[in-house]
Amino acid sequence: MNVDLYEKFWMWAAAGIVVVFIASIGFTTFGQAIQPPSHIETIDPQTVRSDEEFGQPGVTINPDGSATVVVQAFLFAFLPTEIRVPRGRPVTFRMTSPDVIHGFQIVQTNGNTMVVPGYVSQFTISFDRAGEYLVVCNEYCGLGHHNMYARLIVEDVVAAAAGGER
Amino acid sequence: MIPSRKLALANLWVAIVAFTVASAMALMQALSRADLDLPWRSAKMYYLSVTAHGVLMALVFTTFFIMGLAYAFTERALDRPIEGPKFAWASFWVAIVGTLMVTAMVLAGKATVLYTFYPPLQAHSLFYIGLALLVIGSWGWCWVIIRTYLAWKRENPDARTPLPVHGILATIIVWLIATVGVAAEVVLLLIPWSLGLTQVIDPVLARMLFWWFGHPLVYFWLIPAYVVWYTVAPKVAGGKLFSDPLTRLVFVMFILLSSPVGLHHQMVDPGIAAGWKMFHTFNTMLILFPSLLTAFTVIASFEVAGRMKGAKGWFDWLEELPWSDPTFSSVALAMIIFAIGGFGGAINAAYGMNAMVHNTAWIQGHFHLTVGTATALTFMGAAYWLMPKLLGRDLELTLLARLQPYLWFMGMLLFSIANHMTGLKGMPRRVYQFDYGGSEIAQQWIAGTGISAVGGFFLFVSAAFFALVMLGTGLAGKKREQEPIEFAEPLEPPGGKARLLDKMGLWTGLAILLMLAAYALPLIQHLSLERFGARGFSPF
Ligand code: HEM
Ligand SMILES: [Cu+2]
Ligand SMILES: [Cu+2]
C-alpha cells in the first residue's frame, strides 16, 4: 500500500493517542484501583420486601468505623429516604430492586450504579465533604421516575455515631 | 437511470417523515426539560414523546435512510440493477408494517418503555413484534444487496469492489452481526414474556443482548455517513479522494471492531465481572483509530479540492471550498461536531470515568453530536444531493437548504454543550422534571436546560427547513433531465493493490471470532449464575 508521508505521521499519531488512552485506563485501574461497581450476587426480586437484609433497609456503623448502607429502590422511591453516613470513612452501599431497573446516583460524586431486580449492586466510596448530597434515580422506571430521590447526609464522625443510635 | 429508483425513494421518504415527526416531538421535550409551562405538559406525555422520538430517530429514520441510500448507491456503483426487486419491495413492506405497529403502540401509550425497552418494564406484545418485523425487513434488504454484489462479482471476477459498495457491505455485515443480539432478546425473551407464555425475565441477560446490538448499531449509523464523506463529499467539494486503500482499511476495521465492545454500556451494571468490562473498554479504544484516520483522509481530500482550484498557501484552500453548497457544508460541519463527540465518547468508554457521566444529561449531549449530527446532518446533506437526482427535479427552496446546516450546527452546539455541562453537575437524563424536593443542586441545572431549550428551538427550525425543502422538491421541483450519480475519484486508482481488503468473507469470519471471544465466556458465566427472573411492570 502506498501511504503518503503526512498520512504516515498521522497514523502513528493516531495510534499513539489510542495507546495513551489505553495506558491511562490501565494505570488508573491497576495502579489506583479505580473500578466500576461490578458486584456479582443474585436475589429473588419477589422476596426482597421480606428479605432479612433488604426488607429492613438502613445504615449500620461497623465496629471499625466504616458504614454499610442497605437500600431498597422501588417505584418510585428509595428506602431509607434519608441516609446518614460518617465523613472520611469507607461507606459500602448495597442495594436491589423488587420491581424494575433503577439507577442510584449520588450527584457530583462517582457513586453511580444500576439497580437491577434479581441482582445486588454494591460499591464502596468515602466522602471528604460533610453536608447534604442528592441521590437520584437515573434510569427511567416509569411515570414517577423524576420523583425518585433520596437525601444523603455526610456527618462528622462524632455526630454520625450519635445518629447511628437514633 | 436507476431501475430501483422508486424503491430507494420509498425508503428515503419514510425516513424523512419519521425524522420530521420526531423533530417536532423533540422540540416539546427540549422546552419541557427547561421547565416551561406548556399547556399539554404532563409526565405521561413527556415519556411517551421521548419513546417516540428515540424510536423514530434512532431506529426508523436511520434504518430507512440507510436502506434507501444503499439501494441507490449499490445500483449506481455496480452499474447493474439489484437482484430480486420483488423481494426487496416485500421486505420494505414488512419493515413498514413493523414500524406502524411500533408507532401505534407508542402513541397509544401502551409502550412507554423508551427506545431501549429494558425489561422488566413491559410494553404491549405488538411493540416487540413490530420491532422484530422491522429487523426482519432490514434483513431482506441485506440479502438483496449481498445477492446483487455476488452477481456482480460473478460478472466481473477481476474488478475491484467499487468503494461505495465496499462501505455498504461493511455496514451490512456490522448490522447482521449486531441484530443477532437484539433478535435473540426480542424473540426468545421479550415476545414470549409479553404474551404471558413466560412469567419472568432476566434483566441483565436482556441488557447484555441489547447492547450486543446497541453498540454496533452506532456504527451501522456511522459507516454510511462515512461512505458519504469518502465517496460523495470530495466530489462535491470539487476534488478527489485522498487515498482509496486507506478508506477500505477503515471500513474493514469497523467490521472487526464495531461489535466486541457492547459491555461499555454496562460499566456500572451488577452481575457482570469487571474484567469483561475492561476487555470491552480496550476494544472500544481501538475503534478510535479508524475514525482518526477518517478525519485525516477526508480533510486531506478537501485540501486537494482547494488546491485543484488554485489555492497555494497553508490555509487558503479552506476558502476555495463550496461553503454555500448544502451538501458540502453539512458534511464539513458534521465532521467538526463528530470530532467533539468522538472525544466525549472516549470519556464515556473510559472504565473509571464512566461513573461520572453514566445516565446523566451528558450522555444525551454526547449522542446528539454523534448520531444526532455526524449521522443525521450528513444524511440531510446527502438528501440535498441525492433526492433531486432520484426525483429528476431541481432542489427547491435552496435558500433554506443553504441556511439549514449552519442552523443545525449552531443549535447543536448550544444544545449539546449545555447538556454536557448539566450532566457533569449530576442532572440525570430522561427526566420530566428535576425539582427533587427543592434540592439546591438541582436548581443549578436550570441555566443549562434553558440554553439547551434555545438550542432545541434552533434545531427544530433547522429540521423544519429540511422538511420543507424536501417537500418542495418532491412536489414542485422543476422537472429536469435525470442527472447521473457520480462518486469521487481517488487520487490514485486502487489498481491491484491491497486486494486483501476486499475479502469481505474473511473479515466477517474474523469479526465473528472476535465476537465469540468478547461474548461467549461472559454469557456462559452469566447463564451459570443462580438467576431469579423478574416479573413485568408497566408503570406508565
Ligand atoms: C430536532 C432536533 C433534536 C432535538 C431538539 C432533540 C432533543 C432531544 C431531547 C431533549 C432528548 C432528551 C430526552 C431525555 O433524556 O429526557 C432527546 C433524546 C434522544 N434523541 Fe434527540 N433531539 C433532536 C434530534 C435527534 C436526532 C437527529 C437523533 C438521532 C438520529 C436523536 C436521537 C435521540 C435519542 C436516541 C434520544 C434518547 C431517548 C431516550 O433517552 O430514550 N435526536 N432528544
Ligand atoms: Cu427511575
Ligand atoms: Cu457504545
Side-chain angles (χ1 to χ4, degrees), chain A residues 7 10 35 38-39 42 119 140, chain B residues 112 202 246 271 292 351 530:
Chain A
E7 190 140 29
W10 179 259
Q35 297 266 3
S38 305
H39 186 65
T42 57
Y119 297 81
Y140 168 75
Chain B
T112 308
D202 174 359
L246 281 174
L292 287 165
Y351 196 62
E530 188 201 2

Side-chain angles (χ1 to χ4, degrees), chain A residues 102 137 139 141 145 148:
Chain A
H102 300 280
C137 171
E139 184 56 84
C141 51
H145 168 51
M148 188 168 164

Side-chain angles (χ1 to χ4, degrees), chain A residues 1-4 6-8 10-15 17-18 21-23 25-26 28-30 34-46 75-76 98-101 103 105 107-122 134-149, chain B residues 43-44 47 112-114 118-121 202-204 207 242-243 245-246 267-274 277-278 281-282 285-286 288-289 292-293 296-297 343 346 350-352 355-356 358-360 424-426 428-433 436-437 439 441 445 492 497 501 526 529-535 537 539-540:
Chain A
M1 218 188 306
N2 178 18
V3 181
D4 185 88
Y6 289 119
E7 190 140 29
K8 263 190 200 137
W10 179 259
M11 282 171 92
W12 282 108
I17 292 175
V18 173
F21 283 2
I22 291 185
I25 293 172
T28 52
T29 308
F30 298 111
I34 296 180
Q35 297 266 3
S38 305
H39 186 65
I40 300 183
E41 181 183 337
T42 57
I43 181 171
D44 185 348
Q46 265 84 255
L75 299 164
F76 294 103
D99 41 53
V100 302
I101 302 181
Q105 178 193 344
V107 167
Q108 301 249 283
T109 71
N110 59 1
N112 188 347
T113 187
M114 299 271 85
V115 185
V116 184
Y119 297 81
V120 176
S121 309
Q122 178 179 316
L134 173 65
V135 176
V136 296
C137 171
N138 67 7
E139 184 56 84
Y140 168 75
C141 51
L143 297 189
H145 168 51
H146 51 281
N147 294 326
M148 188 168 164
Y149 68 98
Chain B
K44 189 173 169 69
Y47 293 118
T112 308
V113 293
L114 306 190
Y118 298 138
L121 283 177
D202 174 359
V204 168
R207 279 167 69 84
F242 190 75
S243 168
L246 281 174
M267 292 284 200
V268 299
D269 271 21
I272 300 171
K277 296 179 180 177
M278 175 105 172
T281 298
F282 288 158
M285 295 297 151
L286 296 178
L288 288 177
F289 186 74
L292 287 165
L293 274 194
F296 180 88
T297 308
F343 279 101
Y351 196 62
M356 285 302 292
H358 177 78
N359 268 356
T360 67
L424 276 187
K425 285 193 189 150
R429 67 187 276 209
R430 300 171 155 178
V431 285
Y432 164 64
Q433 255 178 3
Y436 293 120
S439 153
I441 184 128
W445 302 334
E492 264 180 65
K497 276 177 272 170
L501 292 172
H526 186 79
L529 287 176
E530 188 201 2
R531 293 171 302 138
F532 304 89
R535 286 169 188 280
F537 288 83
F540 45 81

Side-chain angles (χ1 to χ4, degrees), chain B residues 278-311:
Chain B
M278 175 105 172
F279 178 44
H280 283 226
T281 298
F282 288 158
N283 291 349
T284 307
M285 295 297 151
L286 296 178
I287 334 183
L288 288 177
F289 186 74
S291 283
L292 287 165
L293 274 194
T294 300
F296 180 88
T297 308
V298 179
I299 294 173
S301 306
F302 291 164
E303 183 180 347
V304 170
R307 301 220 180 280
M308 280 166 68
K309 290 179 187 164

Side-chain angles (χ1 to χ4, degrees), chain B residues 137-152:
Chain B
S138 76
W139 285 346
W141 160 78
C142 295
W143 174 234
V144 172
I145 305 267
I146 292 173
R147 260 183 77 197
T148 308
Y149 167 73
L150 293 177
W152 171 86

Side-chain angles (χ1 to χ4, degrees), chain B residues 14 95 209 292 322 470:
Chain B
V14 174
L209 293 173
L292 287 165
M470 286 300 125

Side-chain angles (χ1 to χ4, degrees), chain B residues 26 29 33 46 53 115 364 367-368 415 429-430 459:
Chain B
Q29 282 153 223
R33 263 181 95 94
Y46 183 78
H53 173 73
Y115 87 108
Q364 88 209 21
F367 65 68
H368 281 89
F415 178 88
R429 67 187 276 209
R430 300 171 155 178
L459 287 170

